Structure formats: structure tokens, C-alpha cells
Amino acid sequence: MYSYSQFDKDFIAERNKQFRAQVERRIDGSLTETEFKPLRLMNGLYLQLHAYMLRVAIPYGTLRSAQMRQLAMIAEKFDKGYGHFTTRQNIQFNWPKLRDVPDILDALAEVEMHAIQTSGNCVRNVTSDHFAGAAADEIEDPRPTAELLRQWSTDHPEFAFLGRKFKIAVVGSETDRAVTKSHDIGLRMVRGANGEAGYEVIVGGGLGRTPMVGKVIRDFLPAEDLLPYVESILQVYNRLGRRDNKYKARIKITVHENGLDVIRDEVEKAFVLQRQAFGGYDQELYASIKEAFAPPAFIDAPLDAFYAAQNADASFRSFVDTNLAEHKNPDYAIVTISTKAHGKTPGDATAEQMRVMADLAETYGHDELRISHEQNVILPHVHKSHLPEIYARLREAGLATANIGLISDIIACPGMDYCALATARSIPVAQQIATRFDELKLEHDIGALKIKISGCINACGHHHVGHIGILGLDRAGVENYQITLGGDHTETAAIGERAGPGFAYDEIVPAIERLIYGYLDLRSSADETFLETYRRLGAAPFKAVLYPAEQIAAE
């Protein structure tokens, strides 16, 4: 993992000192809220529906145990005892007092963390595969690339005031676990003709009110050309992007209006100059960064206890079957810790739960934790012999729910419970769906299914790319929930199709229940997933079960 240089420490300290003075001026009335707004946003501080919210960057989702413990301390001392993990691998504190925010930022700096560029029209937190460095299918660990991009983009003078926010994601394998095709720039590691590692470059993806799947602008970009090429894309976007309408200011609109061929030609022209300007320094920096991401010292130990526990404990076996992923070392496993216990708020973790996860990472996980875009927490390197002890600790902490990838593993934005932009509630809908299907004891029979919920058109809950997406809207002062079907956030990305008329708040869970029972009847076998069934049959049979004939006639 990357550790701060003295320059980094001095930079953060100076930024925090400046913001402390700005907060003092806001409190004494020297700054109005209008004057204060751009200053606080530069430091990750939002004004939400009920209080300020601080969004803290977790670069490419990677944490040390000491950092997780510090987040727990902040939650306990300065908030209401919990934090909320987001789809951009950040953590949000929803109830800080303004006067305490400078102290929170100083506490973050103590463990090499900050809240810079978690807001504003700049390059946001660079995200990556939450299994990076551990996944059996990856070409290379993509996190050094993400760190290179983070250092390059932080406080970049040319890209600090773009037309709109700009998001980059990086993956190191063919399997897309970072939603790269829904980003302004997506980077996927691939092999060149001679076996060398490089990148497939995708531009123009995004969700929100105009969802689009990103387009490949370069099939193969040599690794050494990454920064000059990405900078060229940003320069072209900064020059051609719309600034007359913030809803049309994202690069996806720039690509759509100008055409991919035009954008590619402009980027390639800029790239000729940028490649010369970088002069190889970026590769020296990249080489030094890579050294910090060396694999941990894996241990050798017998696996007898692991196999015995599987045979003796059905609940542990269910956890193993559902929450573990294949590690590049066959004696290890990647453990996903669900923050989606049935009826709980997706993405929330209490201070005590954060400490438990930190302790497990330190004791059993080579001191590494990851946050996923699906709002769960990962121990990326766990020897299988330690899994029984880990499971026991997780169970005590309420963190052993065996539901990863199932219907209750729901992505949900904060919605109208917190967000000033939201037009409907998200959290209660997610809670009710999870609780209902737990009551029915169906979720393991249903199998792999991604439900994603957004409380407004901004799509922070990624509803467009959910197998089942739910969008909450305001219809004449009443919450109304639209359903989309067939979305996909992976390497086979697709935008979901709107199923039909929306549902009232008290109708949405029964509608999802009808949809799921319909799927169970429609699938060709117990192994055919919801998405596979949808792609095989199309939308018509799903709409038929979702909307009874009398409702369609009434519409």
C-alpha cells in the first residue's frame, strides 16, 4: 500500500490549516454560506438534508487496520457512532458538526487520509477492483495504476475546475468488478500482441439522467503511455465539453454529440504533444509506486481445521459458499464481509464493527481491507485455516450474513433520509426487500441477482445497471418507484430497460415479489440466473408478471 511522503504530509497539513481558518470565518459570520460552499466542497464537506456530511476518500478502496480504527474513532467521537460506505469506495459521516470538521480532517491526516476531491468538478476518487492484488484472474494488480492517477490528478491546476465531476476506474482482469463502462474513463488491463501489459481505454460512460455505456477509444494502450493519454482525454473534454448546461457537461455528452471518431482524433493529436512533454518522469514515479504494492508474505499452514469446520457447521459452510472468492494462492481466500444484514442500512457499519474488521485484518489478513463499490468490506488475503475464527468473530459482530451477490445484497443510495437532492426514500425500500425475502427463505434459491436502488435521477445507487433497478421519483408530492430490467455493471455492461409505470411506496415490495416469483417460473433451470433468463426471453414475460392485465388496461 502507498504511504505518504513528507511532501504529502505537508500538503495535507497546509490544506487542513487553510480550511480550519475558513470554518472559523463561516462560524463567526465573516463568510456567508454561499461564499463558504465552494471552499467546503473542495474539502469534501456537503450540506445535506438535515446536517453537514463529510465524504472521506478511500483511494481505490484500500485501507490499513489503523485507518479503519481511526474511522471508527471519528464515527464515535464526532458522529452518531457509524459510517456509511459508498459506491465510490469512500466513507461518509452524515452528522458531523461544522466546528468539529477541522479536527476530523486532522485526525484523518494522522493515518494518511483526507477528504480532498471527494466533491467538486474535478477528478474524483479513483476507484478499482476490490479484489485487486488477490484475484486469481487478474493480469496485474491495478492499484499502482490507480495510485499513479491519484497523485497526478490531486490538485491538478488544469483539471480542478472542469465542466463537471470526472470519474476514473481501473481493473486488472477481464472480469469487470469496478463498473468501468459506467465511468468517464474506464481502464482495463489487457495483454498486447507480445504479451506485454497495457490498457483498453473506455470513455464516455456514465449513469444519471442520461445513462450511457462507455465506448472503447483505444483497444491497446502501452502502459508507459497511460498518463499522457489520460491527460490528453481530459484536455479534449475540457476544451470541447459543454459548460452552458450542467446536465450536458459530462464527457458522455461530449462523446455523443461529437462522435467517438472525432474525439479519438482530437485525443490522438493532443497525445503526440503530451507524450513528449512527460519525458518519462511518470514512469520513474510509477516504478517507485509499484514497490509499495508488493504481495504480502503468504503463510503455509494445514487446512484441516477449515475442512472440518465446513463439515461440522452448516452456517459456516453457507458463508464459505457465498462470501468467499478464489484467491491467486489456492490456500488463501478473498473474504467479503456483508454490510447488508437483513433489515439493516446497506453500507452502514458501526464503530465497533469497524474495529472488529480492523482487528481481523491485522491478525489474519496481512493488515489489508478493501471497500467495494457494492458497499461491502473485503479481507483480500486470508489463509483458509483462519476462516473458522474469522467467521466466529464476524458472527458475534453481526457481520456474518451469507448473502454476497444475492437479492438482499442491495446497493442503495442514502435517499431522502439524508440527501437534499433525493426525491424518494431508498434505504427503507432496500430494508423491506431484504427482510421480505429472508422471511420467504428464497434468496439462495433465487441465486445471483443484483438489485440497485436510487432515490433520484442522479443514480448514485447505480439503478441503471442493476439486474433489477429501482428509481424513486416524486410524482405530485408522492413517492413513485420505476423498475428497470436487464441492467449489467460488468464487462457485458448494459443499461436496464424501463419496465413500465411506476409503483407507489407501499406497492414496490409486492411488485418485486411478483417479479421474482415470475422469474422462478420462467427460468429454464435452477442454474439460470435472472439476467440470463431476461436475456433469453426478453422483457415481455417479465412485464406480464409485473403488471397484471387489469392494471395495464387501467393505464
Side-chain angles (χ1 to χ4, degrees), residues 153-465:
S153 63
T154 299
D155 221 29
H156 195 301
E158 189 175 352
F159 307 132
F161 299 96
L162 296 167
R164 283 288 272 135
K165 58 189 175 182
F166 201 94
K167 300 177 180 180
I168 303 175
V170 191
V171 293
S173 69
E174 290 185 3
T175 305
D176 186 356
R177 288 178 286 262
V179 207
T180 58
K181 292 185 178 180
S182 294
H183 280 72
D184 298 288
I185 294 178
L187 299 168
R188 185 172 69 89
M189 284 192 172
V190 292
R191 292 288 185 191
N194 298 317
E196 71 277 22
Y199 306 92
E200 177 187 71
V201 184
I202 301 160
V203 298
L207 302 178
R209 65 184 58 232
T210 313
M212 295 183 182
V213 174
K215 300 175 175 63
V216 176
I217 192 171
R218 265 279 194 128
D219 293 312
F220 181 81
L221 179 73
E224 61 269 20
D225 291 335
L226 176 71
L227 274 195
Y229 198 82
V230 170
E231 181 148 316
S232 299
I233 293 173
L234 264 294
Q235 287 181 337
V236 171
Y237 162 61
N238 210 10
R239 178 164 54 86
L240 298 182
R242 298 276 295 271
R243 290 182 182 260
D244 60 319
N245 183 332
K246 72 175 184 177
Y247 302 118
K248 297 182 179 181
R250 298 294 294 270
I251 193 174
K252 61 187 177 184
I253 303 299
T254 308
V255 173
H256 176 71
E257 291 184 341
N258 291 274
L260 180 63
D261 290 341
V262 170
I263 298 300
R264 181 187 289 113
D265 289 345
E266 292 295 319
V267 169
E268 293 294 340
K269 284 190 287 187
F271 175 57
V272 172
L273 299 177
Q274 289 305 312
R275 194 180 192 186
Q276 296 173 350
F278 271 80
Y281 172 73
D282 53 315
Q283 289 309 296
E284 295 176 20
L285 178 59
Y286 182 62
S288 66
I289 288 171
K290 284 191 75 171
E291 293 177 4
F293 291 86
F298 295 128
I299 66 169
D300 288 319
L303 300 177
D304 298 355
F306 168 64
Y307 294 121
Q310 283 194 91
N311 293 328
D313 185 346
S315 60
F316 174 65
R317 185 166 62 250
S318 177
F319 180 83
V320 168
D321 291 342
T322 308
N323 290 41
L324 266 57
E326 186 179 0
H327 194 282
K328 61 179 60 179
N329 183 324
D331 289 346
Y332 273 69
I334 302 168
V335 180
T336 299
I337 303 169
S338 173
T339 67
K340 321 283 182 62
H342 301 105
K344 300 297 184 181
T345 301
D348 278 10
T350 67
E352 184 54 37
Q353 287 175 327
M354 291 185 212
R355 291 192 185 96
V356 168
M357 292 186 283
D359 290 346
L360 291 174
E362 188 172 55
T363 305
Y364 302 113
H366 299 277
D367 202 27
E368 280 195 47
L369 294 145
R370 307 284 173 77
I371 310 303
S372 74
H373 81 271
E374 295 178 318
Q375 302 174 287
N376 292 313
V377 182
I378 290 87
L379 297 170
H381 307 293
V382 173
H383 194 274
K384 290 177 181 177
S385 64
H386 295 146
L387 285 169
E389 295 100 317
I390 289 172
Y391 176 73
R393 290 288 307 280
L394 291 174
R395 194 168 183 175
E396 289 175 6
L399 290 168
T401 307
N403 66 342
I404 297 303
L406 303 181
I407 194 170
S408 62
D409 184 15
I410 297 170
I411 288 179
C413 74
M416 211 160 57
D417 287 295
Y418 296 97
C419 182
L421 300 176
T423 49
R425 289 169 287 177
S426 297
I427 292 171
V429 175
Q431 292 170 324
Q432 290 169 36
I433 292 172
T435 300
R436 180 57 179 155
F437 284 94
D438 185 45
E439 292 169 349
L440 295 171
K441 302 304 176 188
L442 275 177
E443 63 179 340
H444 286 272
D445 185 34
I446 294 164
L449 178 63
K450 300 290 188 181
I451 293 183
K452 306 176 192 287
I453 307 174
S454 299
C456 80
I457 197 68
N458 290 306
C460 294
H462 293 192
H463 68 275
H464 292 297
V465 290

